[in-house]
Amino acid sequence: MRDAVTSLIKNYDVTGRYLDRNAIDQLKSYFETGSTRVQAATVINANAAALVKQAGSQLFSDLPELIRPGGNAYTTRRYAACLRDMDYYLRYATYALVAGSTDVLDERVLQGLRETYNSLSVPIGPTVVGIGILKDMVKGTVEAAGIQPGDWLDQPFDHMIRELAETDV
């Protein structure tokens, strides 16, 4: 698991180049937003349970077929597993937010997730919708705490959505 700085330096080291203006600008942006990213992570951590609960409620309101007989969140066990997974996505999005890099998402969340869900007959589409709902709720919660959200807040969620997205959501 790497942060934005170690990823950037590794890429330049592999190619044997000095840091150029683009690299310096990326580092500058990383450090300028560092304190804000940590503040946002603090707000997310303090509200994680409520965020997951609210996102789950909205997901099941938007896609009620998930909690009807035969739906993938029908039964208490499956419902709880869905909320557990949403908590998992939120926690790792927070790690990526602090690191300023999506590497942790690739390594710990996305690698093999599609295959796992397919083998368990878990539809990916509602997962993507749920991550989008979490993103919106996180942005609202962070903004309500007086922190101006930026692209840095969207990045982890957008990365998961992009990597998992299907056309049949």
Side-chain angles (χ1 to χ4, degrees), residues 38-169:
V38 170
Q39 290 172 351
T42 301
V43 169
I44 294 167
N45 291 345
N47 294 284
L51 286 164
V52 169
K53 183 179 178 182
Q54 291 169 342
S57 293
Q58 184 175 335
L59 175 65
F60 298 133
S61 175
D62 293 351
L63 300 172
E65 64 275 9
L66 292 172
I67 55 174
R68 291 186 185 134
N72 258 61
Y74 180 69
T75 74
T76 304
R77 183 180 60 79
R78 286 182 170 186
Y79 185 93
C82 181
L83 294 181
R84 177 207 60 212
D85 287 356
M86 288 181 85
D87 184 65
Y88 182 72
Y89 303 134
L90 180 60
R91 181 167 49 94
Y92 275 95
T94 306
Y95 295 164
L97 177 67
V98 171
S101 170
T102 58
D103 287 345
V104 68
L105 298 174
D106 295 331
E107 294 171 13
R108 306 289 170 98
V109 177
L110 299 170
Q111 190 176 56
L113 182 64
R114 180 180 299 280
E115 293 78 14
T116 301
Y117 274 19
N118 286 337
S119 72
L120 297 171
S121 298
V122 174
I124 301 278
T127 301
V128 172
V129 171
I131 293 169
I133 291 168
L134 272 174
K135 172 187 162 182
D136 293 341
M137 291 189 167
V138 163
K139 284 175 79 168
T141 302
V142 166
E143 195 166 28
I147 301 167
Q148 185 59 43
D151 292 340
W152 50 267
L153 186 60
D154 295 339
Q155 185 184 18
F157 298 99
D158 288 346
H159 183 73
M160 286 188 286
I161 289 168
R162 189 174 41 256
E163 293 299 313
L164 293 173
E166 290 185 337
T167 56
D168 64 342
V169 177

